[in-house]
Amino acid sequence: MNRLTRFSIAVSAVAAMMAATVAEARMYRYTDENGQVVISNSIPQEASKRGYDILSKNGRVIETIDPEPTEEEIAAREAEEQRKLEEERQRELDRKLLERFSHPDEAVRAMHRKIRELQGLNQLKKGNISVIDSQLDSEQSRAANLERSGRDIPEATLEKIRRLESQIREIEREINSQNADIKELREEFEKDIERLEEITGEERTEPLDPDKTEQ
């Protein structure tokens, strides 16, 4: 065994002895179940949950271990973290809202434009229904005349009547769906307008309903 190897072994042995000495020298100070302060070279598991101090051989505090949090403290901590997340989320939403509108009235006017666009599409759809209704009346009159004369109604005529009726129902469903979209759009805009009033400190002067003049 060469000199370097013997030196390494010696150093390792000294380090191990020092670590063992430090470990043996450590003491624990904790409070027992009766509220009494105890200093010992070991600590019961239940006492460790209440928190404790690690002491050196001369009684100096080396480290303080905090008590385990209670269920109430854990719940409060989680609630606080959730609150901070919600605040951050709201700040981001506010930032994006202010990028779109600098004043509540801008949002009101944007809402009016969007609603008019959707209502205009509905008017076109209602016009389509009127055209199809006229075609349907014509086909139904032709079928009624054939029936009164005792003649059979051609299958092509019956199929056309069914197709026209189906088209009317489909357009009516589209109109109802778009009316629901208009209602949802208005509700979302009204929330944005109310929030803009809060974060800008400015009140809207435009009426929410463009067809009404607010007093």
Side-chain angles (χ1 to χ4, degrees):
M1 191 181 298
N2 59 40
R3 181 179 302 174
L4 181 59
T5 302
R6 287 197 298 272
F7 177 74
S8 298
I9 293 173
V11 168
S12 298
V14 170
M17 288 186 349
M18 288 177 64
T21 302
V22 170
E24 290 173 2
R26 283 189 176 184
M27 301 292 285
Y28 300 94
R29 181 173 64 197
Y30 61 89
T31 303
D32 66 14
E33 64 274 11
N34 299 315
Q36 299 296 316
V37 175
V38 177
I39 296 178
S40 173
N41 59 0
S42 63
I43 180 171
Q45 183 176 0
E46 285 302 315
S48 69
K49 294 179 180 179
R50 293 191 288 271
Y52 57 92
D53 295 325
I54 301 175
L55 308 177
S56 64
K57 63 179 181 180
N58 59 6
R60 185 174 60 85
V61 176
I62 299 173
E63 185 178 0
T64 296
I65 307 300
D66 293 329
E68 290 185 5
T70 63
E71 291 184 4
E72 292 80 6
E73 289 171 335
I74 293 172
R77 188 180 302 165
E78 290 175 350
E80 178 64 14
E81 290 174 356
Q82 184 62 32
R83 184 187 65 79
K84 289 179 180 178
L85 287 174
E86 289 296 327
E87 285 183 350
E88 181 60 32
R89 175 178 171 275
Q90 188 61 60
R91 279 193 294 271
E92 180 63 16
L93 290 174
D94 290 346
R95 184 186 65 78
K96 291 180 178 179
L97 184 59
L98 288 170
E99 286 180 353
R100 294 168 58 203
F101 312 110
S102 61
H103 191 281
D105 282 346
E106 291 182 9
V108 174
R109 289 190 287 270
M111 177 181 71
H112 291 169
R113 286 194 299 271
K114 290 295 295 181
I115 290 176
R116 287 193 187 102
E117 287 173 8
L118 295 176
Q119 288 174 336
L121 291 174
N122 270 354
Q123 286 302 117
L124 290 175
K125 293 178 189 296
K126 289 175 181 177
N128 290 339
I129 288 178
S130 296
V131 172
I132 297 171
D133 252 336
S134 178
Q135 295 174 1
L136 181 60
D137 285 342
S138 176
E139 294 299 324
Q140 288 175 334
S141 295
R142 185 179 297 115
N145 289 335
L146 288 171
E147 226 172 15
R148 280 193 294 270
S149 66
R151 297 165 61 188
D152 291 336
I153 302 172
E155 181 58 32
T157 299
L158 294 173
E159 175 58 30
K160 188 172 184 180
I161 289 172
R162 288 192 290 267
R163 178 167 51 80
L164 291 171
E165 290 174 337
S166 175
Q167 287 176 354
I168 290 173
R169 288 193 298 271
E170 178 61 27
I171 295 174
E172 287 175 341
R173 280 195 292 269
E174 290 176 4
I175 290 172
N176 290 334
S177 175
Q178 197 141 286
N179 282 334
D181 290 343
I182 290 172
K183 183 172 184 259
E184 184 178 347
L185 177 74
R186 178 184 290 275
E187 289 172 352
E188 289 177 357
F189 262 104
E190 287 179 356
K191 288 179 183 176
D192 286 345
I193 292 163
E194 183 178 350
R195 184 61 184 167
L196 280 166
E197 289 180 323
E198 290 180 18
I199 60 181
T200 64
E202 301 281 350
E203 292 187 3
R204 65 177 175 83
T205 61
E206 299 273 353
L208 292 177
D209 189 337
D211 299 322
K212 294 180 181 178
T213 302
E214 295 190 347
Q215 302 297 322

